[in-house]
Amino acid sequence: MNEHTFFEWKRSERLTAALALAFCLLGLGLQRLPGVGFSGKLSWGLALVCLVLLGLSRLSRRHRGWKILLRIAQIGLAALVLGLSAVEVWVIRAGHRDESSKGHQENDALPADAVLVLGAGVNGTTPSVALQTRIDAAERYLKAHPDIPAVLSGGQGPGEDISEARAMYNALTARGIDPERLILEEQSANTRQNLQNSLTLLPDDYHKTVAIVTNDFHMGRVRLLLNAAGPGRVVQVPAKLPWWWLSANYYLRESFAVVNDQVVRPLLA
């Protein structure tokens, strides 16, 4: 019997349709929140995936080939979800990794030979929320360790009137950090370039222990990239975002960024 109305569909099909609608509504809601564009796009993408699965399920009633394709799509999606979930757990653990041997010392108190402060977006000349939290964390660390140099890393992108490095420099010097300690790296456009370009500006002696100032969600990917760059020891100085929903968005986005850096780019190279 052909099932044409919604209530005559199989339960799994009704659930898939309901999920597609829920993800669409979630995407619309997230569009109203600043800074969570990735989560909104992901919601739209999940809605599209649900609609594709629903279409395959309906077509599978007509021909066995569609049923086989549906099973392949379901298995592939399950494998993808499990893989991304594992990466997400690792990203969260890396972001909250304790750098001290005793487990109670604040990262701001751990010494290093040099500091790398990684850039984030600038709105005109005003630091974004992510960049502002990195500036705050860098100020605390540099004042706690007044004798070590710091590389401020980040180029100038669309919508930015000054480089990210210059925005950090302006804010830190206005707060009393000695400009002689600050080295500007204004050419990088992504995290990999941030690290590569910054390390080349430091003498070899400063590579023994490097303090990395960036947001907590970013730490896992930074450590992966640093493994190939060569500093002896890394001290994490994580900057936390002020709102949980903003932090959740970036933690979620970061798992996709790790897969892109470690899987997609090497395959396409």
Side-chain angles (χ1 to χ4, degrees):
M1 180 180 69
N2 290 328
E3 298 172 338
H4 298 291
T5 66
F6 175 80
F7 293 104
E8 292 174 330
W9 290 1
K10 292 189 298 184
R11 181 180 299 177
S12 61
E13 293 174 346
R14 295 199 301 270
L15 177 60
T16 303
L19 284 173
L21 177 60
F23 282 127
C24 281
L25 294 175
L26 180 61
L28 287 172
L30 290 173
Q31 283 184 332
R32 298 177 179 274
L33 288 176
V36 293
F38 176 81
S39 294
K41 293 175 183 177
L42 181 61
S43 296
W44 285 107
L46 290 173
L48 179 60
V49 169
C50 288
L51 291 175
V52 170
L53 291 176
L54 177 60
L56 290 174
S57 179
R58 299 296 296 165
L59 290 170
S60 67
R61 300 171 181 273
R62 302 180 183 180
H63 194 276
R64 179 175 174 80
W66 289 110
K67 188 172 184 178
I68 295 174
L69 186 58
L70 173 63
R71 292 291 179 263
I72 293 174
Q74 290 172 332
I75 293 171
L77 180 62
L80 180 62
V81 170
L82 287 174
L84 286 172
S85 297
V87 173
E88 185 65 32
V89 170
W90 177 83
V91 167
I92 293 172
R93 288 173 62 89
H96 294 83
R97 179 174 174 175
D98 193 340
E99 293 296 322
S100 66
S101 59
K102 296 182 179 180
H104 63 267
Q105 187 177 6
E106 290 292 336
N107 288 348
D108 287 359
L110 295 173
D113 299 306
V115 184
L116 304 185
V117 189
L118 306 188
V122 177
N123 302 314
T125 60
T126 303
S128 63
V129 174
L131 186 59
Q132 187 61 60
T133 58
R134 298 181 193 190
I135 291 170
D136 295 340
E139 178 192 4
R140 290 192 300 270
Y141 192 88
L142 290 171
K143 287 183 176 179
H145 303 275
D147 298 324
I148 59 176
V151 178
L152 312 179
S153 179
Q156 183 175 344
E160 299 178 340
D161 295 335
I162 58 175
S163 70
E164 296 163 10
R166 178 61 61 178
M168 291 187 282
Y169 178 91
N170 292 343
L172 289 171
T173 53
R175 298 182 185 189
I177 302 298
D178 184 358
E180 295 297 322
R181 300 173 60 192
L182 305 179
I183 304 168
L184 273 66
E185 186 288 298
E186 300 181 273
Q187 304 303 315
S188 58
N190 54 51
T191 299
R192 187 183 298 273
Q193 293 176 7
N194 281 152
L195 299 173
Q196 291 175 341
N197 295 348
S198 296
L199 290 174
T200 61
L201 297 176
L202 294 172
D204 290 340
D205 289 345
Y206 288 101
H207 288 201
K208 294 176 182 177
T209 302
V210 177
I212 301 295
V213 181
T214 189
N215 293 105
D216 49 2
F217 64 81
H218 198 205
M219 282 295 181
R221 183 155 58 104
V222 168
R223 292 190 73 102
L224 280 177
L225 294 172
L226 275 175
N227 285 340
R233 180 169 173 263
V234 175
V235 173
Q236 293 185 187
V237 184
K240 297 184 181 297
L241 294 172
W243 306 300
W244 70 266
W245 46 266
L246 191 59
S247 184
N249 171 79
Y250 280 106
Y251 265 109
L252 185 60
R253 189 184 75 168
E254 199 63 19
S255 63
F256 287 84
V258 168
V259 172
N260 180 61
D261 272 353
Q262 300 299 317
V263 179
V264 177
R265 286 189 178 183
L267 288 176
L268 295 178

